[in-house]
């Protein structure tokens, strides 16, 4: 039997044609295609400005930095997320505080955020887990939305950060973006992503003659994107709704066929980057092994951050500790066929039925 991965990027001839044109243009760095993508991506999500970067990790770092977060501050993040959410806080010298997740959606539990707030708490970073929007929480905190799983989904943060990692809903090999409505923040983000330089190479090459001079008003980072990735991104953006519709159709097919497992909570803005089911903790690893034996990859998203040595000594919140041990991420990506979905479903059902 053929192997089915958990996640896989989807492409069309449009992406290939756009990349060929970008290569032939001889402008491979950050340039006109990045700008074109930024305008289109911001418009698609109802925000005034988009600043592209080379990863969501870089985007989270810069969003945290321009929010004025630094040493002595605390930022609340969910314990159930990828490392980048908390690393961005550490990069700025602040302290990540790990909150629990809701038992239904596995997104940040805003009641626990209220419980954990102190006089040093300045921000929260809700994660749109698996593509399900975490939604806005209580006032009085800066809100950096980690929408790494949710391109095309709900927008509610003061700053919104996306991932274009190879298997995300909008994939470009790698990359990311930050959305904002603040022109001053957008300008600063553009400088910070390019070593603090106040004029990009493309801007300096766009006049009648090349201008070699520029200023560096503050320390920045080498976080910029490039036009080859933007070429892929423009093709992906044109297909974003189509790919999202296919993800939802796969999720609906799983819902109709799976038996004896707990299914993810639906939401009108759910992007279904992941399809995490839940089973009894005692059989979770056995199910993953059974799927692997059938040529079907499955995963766990995520082992809590509090289980890593970097964050040792921090207690794992109770819902997170209970639920992560039950999680199994089933394959989901736009090119997954109905026949493959049915094969996955039958394998899960057969295993669950045999041990019931």
């Amino acid at each position: 039997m053929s192997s089915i991965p958990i996640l896989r990027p989807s492409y069309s001839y449009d992406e290939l044609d756009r990349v060929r044109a970008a290569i032939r243009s001889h402008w491979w760095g950050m340039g006109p295609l990045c700008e074109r993508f930024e305008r289109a991506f911001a418009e698609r999500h109802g925000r005034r400005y988009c600043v592209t970067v080379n990863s969501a990790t870089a985007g989270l770092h810069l969003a945290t930095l321009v929010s004025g977060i630094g040493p002595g501050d605390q930022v609340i993040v969910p314990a159930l997320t990828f490392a980048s959410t908390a690393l961005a806080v550490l990069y700025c010298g602040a302290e990540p505080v790990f909150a629990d997740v809701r038992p239904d959606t596995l997104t940040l539990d805003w009641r626990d955020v209220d419980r954990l707030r102190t006089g040093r708490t300045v921000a929260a970073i809700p994660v749109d887990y698996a593509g399900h929007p975490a939604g806005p929480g209580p006032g009085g905190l800066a809100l950096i939305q980690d929408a790494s799983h949710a391109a095309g989904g709900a927008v509610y943060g003061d700053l919104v950060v996306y991932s274009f990692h190879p298997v995300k809903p909008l994939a470009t090999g790698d990359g990311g973006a930050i959305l904002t409505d603040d022109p001053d923040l957008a300008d600063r983000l553009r400088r910070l992503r390019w070593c603090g330089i106040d004029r990009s190479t493309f801007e300096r090459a766009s006049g009648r003659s090349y201008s070699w001079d520029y200023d560096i008003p503050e320390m920045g980072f080498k976080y910029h994107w490039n036009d080859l990735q933007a070429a892929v991104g423009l093709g992906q953006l044109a297909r974003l709704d189509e790919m999202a519709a296919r993800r939802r159709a796969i999720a609906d097919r799983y819902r109709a066929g799976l038996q004896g497992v707990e299914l993810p909570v639906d939401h009108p803005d759910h992007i279904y980057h992941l399809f995490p089911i839940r089973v009894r903790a005692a059989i979770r690893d056995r199910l993953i092994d059974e799927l692997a034996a059938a040529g079907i990859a499955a995963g766990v998203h995520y082992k809590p951050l509090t289980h890593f040595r970097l964050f040792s000594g921090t207690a794992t919140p109770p819902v997170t500790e209970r639920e992560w041990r039950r999680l199994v991420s089933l394959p989901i990506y736009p090119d997954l066929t109905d026949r493959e979905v049915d094969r996955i479903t039958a394998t899960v059902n057969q295993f669950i039925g045999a041990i019931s």
Side-chain angles (χ1 to χ4, degrees):
M1 289 186 294
S2 61
S3 178
I4 301 174
I6 305 175
L7 302 165
R8 189 172 67 186
S10 172
Y11 71 90
S12 70
Y13 285 111
D14 185 38
E15 284 94 330
L16 295 174
D17 290 342
R18 289 173 187 269
V19 171
R20 289 190 189 99
I23 290 173
R24 294 188 184 113
S25 76
H26 298 288
W27 192 280
W28 293 6
M30 181 174 60
L33 295 185
C34 288
E35 292 184 359
R36 181 178 168 191
F37 178 90
E38 288 173 346
R39 289 192 297 270
F41 194 79
E43 182 178 356
R44 172 64 177 76
H45 291 85
R47 289 293 172 95
R48 294 178 64 190
Y49 306 102
C50 169
V51 178
T52 51
V53 287
N54 60 16
S55 69
T57 306
L60 288 166
H61 177 202
L62 294 186
T64 305
L65 182 64
V66 301
S67 296
I69 296 166
D73 293 331
Q74 291 180 333
V75 178
I76 298 178
V77 304
L80 190 71
T81 184
F82 186 63
S84 298
T85 312
L87 289 176
V89 180
L90 292 179
Y91 293 160
C92 293
E95 176 189 355
V97 175
F98 297 106
D100 215 341
V101 294
R102 291 175 45 160
D104 53 353
T105 64
L106 302 180
T107 57
L108 186 64
D109 187 338
W110 289 107
R111 293 171 301 178
D112 203 37
V113 171
D114 274 338
R115 182 183 68 83
L116 292 168
R117 287 177 69 168
T118 72
R120 295 196 291 129
T121 306
V122 297
I125 307 180
V127 175
D128 296 335
Y129 175 81
H132 191 293
L141 294 177
L143 197 64
I144 300 169
Q145 179 185 349
D146 185 342
S148 295
H149 293 183
V155 175
Y156 54 85
D158 301 319
L159 292 160
V160 189
V161 179
Y162 295 89
S163 172
F164 305 144
H165 179 273
V167 296
K168 290 300 195 297
L170 190 158
T172 66
D174 220 330
I178 310 163
L179 296 184
T180 179
D181 283 328
D182 188 321
D184 294 329
L185 281 185
D187 285 344
R188 189 178 178 209
L189 287 165
R190 292 187 190 103
R191 292 194 302 270
L192 289 171
R193 71 175 172 185
W194 180 217
C195 299
I197 294 172
D198 64 350
R199 298 171 65 208
S200 73
T201 305
F202 178 68
E203 289 172 324
R204 290 182 283 113
S206 298
R208 293 183 178 180
S209 62
Y210 176 69
S211 174
W212 56 266
D213 196 18
Y214 54 82
D215 193 14
I216 304 177
E218 65 177 316
M219 181 184 75
F221 306 87
K222 190 69 161 56
Y223 282 173
H224 66 83
W225 212 30
N226 66 62
D227 270 21
L228 298 184
Q229 292 170 310
V232 179
L234 285 163
Q236 291 271 295
L237 187 57
R239 299 174 54 230
L240 186 58
D241 290 340
E242 168 195 330
M243 292 190 291
R246 178 55 190 161
R247 287 179 179 276
R248 176 163 288 278
I250 292 168
D252 289 344
R253 196 171 186 91
Y254 274 139
R255 289 182 187 284
L258 287 168
Q259 300 171 8
V261 302
E262 186 175 338
L263 300 168
V265 173
D266 196 18
H267 187 282
D269 291 319
H270 204 316
I271 298 300
Y272 287 106
H273 165 56
L274 302 172
F275 194 86
I277 63 171
R278 282 181 265 183
V279 299
R280 288 188 289 115
I283 66 169
R284 193 270 305 274
D285 292 351
R286 289 169 56 194
L287 173 56
I288 293 174
D289 290 343
E290 185 76 12
L291 288 164
I296 300 164
V300 176
H301 295 88
Y302 297 93
K303 182 167 80 172
L305 295 184
T306 47
H307 281 236
F308 293 98
R309 281 187 292 171
L310 178 63
F311 304 108
S312 60
T314 305
T316 307
V319 175
T320 299
E321 182 62 39
R322 182 184 72 234
E323 297 302 322
W324 88 270
R325 298 182 184 278
R326 303 176 56 218
L327 285 168
V328 179
S329 292
L330 297 181
I332 187 166
Y333 47 88
D335 296 334
L336 189 68
T337 67
D338 286 351
R339 184 174 180 179
E340 289 171 326
V341 174
D342 292 345
R343 176 179 148 196
I344 296 162
T345 299
T347 303
V348 173
N349 288 346
Q350 182 176 11
F351 174 81
I352 296 295
I355 63 171
S356 297

